Amino acid sequence: RGITWDSRPVIDNQDQRLIWSGPVEEEVGEWFHLDLTQAIQEELHAKPDATTFSIAIVPAEQQTTIGQHLKFRSKDYDEEAKWPKFTLQYIPPPVEVTRSPTVAPTTSPPTFAPTTIAPTVEGTKLIVSKPLDDTFVSGYHASTNFGDRSNVAVSQGSWPAQPWFANQQSFIKLDVSALSSQTGANTLVKATLSFLVASYETSAAVDEQADASISSKGQDTPPSIFEMELAVYPIVTSDQGWLEAGITWDTMPGVDKSQGAIWSGGIGRDIGEWFHLDLTQAIRDALTVSPDLTSYSIAILPLLEQHANKRGQILKFRSKEYDEEDERPKFALQYLPAPTAAPTVAPAFPTLSYTDYAMEDSYIYRAKIDDNFGSRDSLVVGYGGQNEDYISYLRFDARSLNGKIEEALMYLLVEDLTGSVDIDVHPVSFQEDLETEWSESEITWNNQPGTIDYGTVLWSGEVSQVGRWITIDLTNHLNQLMTSSAADPVTPFYFSIALVGVPILGE
């Protein structure tokens, strides 16, 4: 409040500060998404104590054609669901690190941030887990396994005095089962692997030419030495079954370099800092090829490999075996759950669709023979022997139906479950007069209709999963009722069914 054209804040419109430019192609009523990740990171790099960030949305050029006017909903709009949404996701620094965190080098991958999702879509889910497996291998100890170590390591360059540091590479396996077609094919939004830098060491052998360059130019340590340059590659699909407790240099899985590196660049050697690796696109590509993938593996290798005239460098990250949980690697997997398809009810007639709800429903309980449960918001079915039996009754009004019914389906949503339950659905004797039927507000175990036709099973099945719909086909039953209810086959009627746990008779 208070801002006017005359008092508006200054816009930083230098070319390098342009956050985004382009046409807004969304239709009226659609959401427009603007990624501010890099802009905010740059702002915090320049002003680490910044607590707010502002933007201006202006026309890209002076309009020389017809006038155009575009409006967005503001935070003062009446309907909260249509207010602008700002999604900010971050990983906090480990508690043990007491020094002020520094900003990752510009060559590092972007810090953890979600892909924009339309606010109208029900929220995404976030799983933060440790790797399934992580370890490193050593060319010096080619047959030794290091799967139980508290750090993983990558090394490059020459190590004449410490040859055991040479040729070290790390392997990481991650759980992506939430995205597999085997579990519903949820949609990946963001996948970020974060490591804590544990240690950095160098060898005594330095490239003399590099040293001469430093002396002649009066520079500090050049970037090639200040940062350790790494490359990340996927593991070949056929080797995804590797285990940290088994691999060595001689048996390590194959690295797939056919499509280039997932990421490559320098990592600062500051101890206690987090390194964030964006694996979103790499995992999406892997799922496109193998939709049933449940794990995804990467190899972290030195970018320069082993050059004899380069200073030896070794960088270690905390592994999932490290004692302090806060410093273990974290895999943040953000996804959008696959939509649960609602049941589609087929029309009762070729040209007419009719949908209705039960007009009466209740359940009875053998352990409380005189109690009525008609006001409860759930139906219960089950058996347990002795007095732990439940039967549910439902009655429907079919007076508006006539002629041949093409399809009649009843849907029940499983709300809660103990173990799995076998259920039979039986008809209750047909009554034309509503007053002679049972009432949901009065029915008990003692006064239940004694007319359940246990000899006729309309549906039978095992219920074993919460949140799923049960579909019960009543087509034949309704057609039989309509033709046998009276001499006139379209006499108005009601019908009832009973849901019974199996076995329940004879207990």
Side-chain angles (χ1 to χ4, degrees), residues 76-276:
D76 303 294
Y77 189 65
D78 293 338
E79 299 178 34
E80 183 177 354
K82 296 182 181 180
W83 292 353
K85 311 287 192 302
F86 178 54
T87 303
L88 184 68
Q89 191 161 9
Y90 63 93
I91 293 180
V95 176
E96 290 75 12
V97 179
T98 56
R99 60 179 179 76
S100 298
T102 58
V103 179
T106 56
T107 52
S108 295
T111 54
F112 182 54
T115 299
T116 307
I117 298 178
T120 53
V121 179
E122 188 174 354
T124 61
K125 293 188 176 181
L126 178 67
I127 300 174
V128 180
S129 62
K130 63 182 181 180
L132 295 173
D133 292 272
D134 59 0
T135 188
F136 69 96
V137 296
S138 168
Y140 186 82
H141 298 285
S143 60
T144 302
N145 172 261
F146 300 96
D148 60 349
R149 300 301 175 91
S150 60
N151 295 316
V152 296
V154 184
S155 68
Q156 67 181 9
S158 175
W159 293 88
Q162 299 162 298
W164 51 87
F165 278 163
N167 295 310
Q168 295 192 5
Q169 303 176 4
S170 288
F171 295 85
I172 317 294
K173 183 193 294 183
L174 305 168
D175 183 0
V176 296
S177 59
L179 308 173
S180 172
S181 59
Q182 300 179 27
T183 57
N186 298 313
T187 302
L188 174 61
V189 175
K190 193 76 173 178
T192 306
L193 178 61
S194 299
F195 287 102
L196 189 71
V197 178
S199 67
Y200 173 84
E201 297 180 49
T202 61
S203 71
V206 183
D207 185 333
E208 293 181 359
Q209 183 178 356
D211 276 351
S213 174
I214 296 170
S215 300
S216 63
K217 297 179 181 180
Q219 297 175 343
D220 293 327
T221 307
S224 62
I225 296 179
F226 176 79
E227 295 175 344
M228 180 158 179
E229 295 180 311
L230 304 179
V232 178
Y233 293 94
I235 299 302
V236 296
T237 304
S238 59
D239 285 352
Q240 289 290 333
W242 68 272
L243 297 174
E244 65 177 22
I247 70 167
T248 66
W249 180 272
D250 291 335
T251 63
M252 61 183 171
V255 178
D256 183 1
K257 297 184 178 180
S258 62
Q259 303 300 316
I262 298 171
W263 174 86
S264 64
I267 298 179
R269 63 186 182 184
D270 291 327
I271 309 304
E273 289 196 5
W274 286 92
F275 165 61
H276 309 297

Side-chain angles (χ1 to χ4, degrees), residues 13 31-32 42 60 108 115 119-120 229 277 281 290 300 335 349 357 369 396 411 460 462 498:
N13 56 7
W31 288 89
F32 168 64
E42 292 174 356
S108 295
T115 299
T120 53
E229 295 180 311
L277 180 62
Q281 191 57 50
S290 304
I300 305 178
Y335 66 92
F349 300 98
Y357 301 96
I369 59 176
F396 296 89
Y411 297 97
S460 181
E462 180 185 13

Side-chain angles (χ1 to χ4, degrees), residues 352-414:
L352 177 64
S353 177
Y354 173 79
T355 302
D356 199 4
Y357 301 96
M359 62 182 298
E360 302 267 352
D361 59 6
S362 183
Y363 68 90
I364 57 177
Y365 181 26
R366 180 180 286 185
K368 297 183 178 181
I369 59 176
D370 294 317
D371 287 4
N372 171 261
F373 303 96
S375 62
R376 300 295 178 88
D377 61 3
S378 300
L379 297 174
V380 183
V381 181
Y383 70 91
Q386 301 299 325
N387 293 327
E388 294 301 315
D389 296 328
Y390 299 84
I391 299 176
S392 285
Y393 285 84
L394 298 95
R395 178 165 64 239
F396 296 89
D397 183 352
R399 290 175 295 175
S400 62
L401 301 180
N402 56 62
K404 180 175 173 27
I405 296 174
E406 295 296 331
E407 188 174 58
L409 303 176
M410 181 180 73
Y411 297 97
L412 297 172
L413 180 64
V414 181

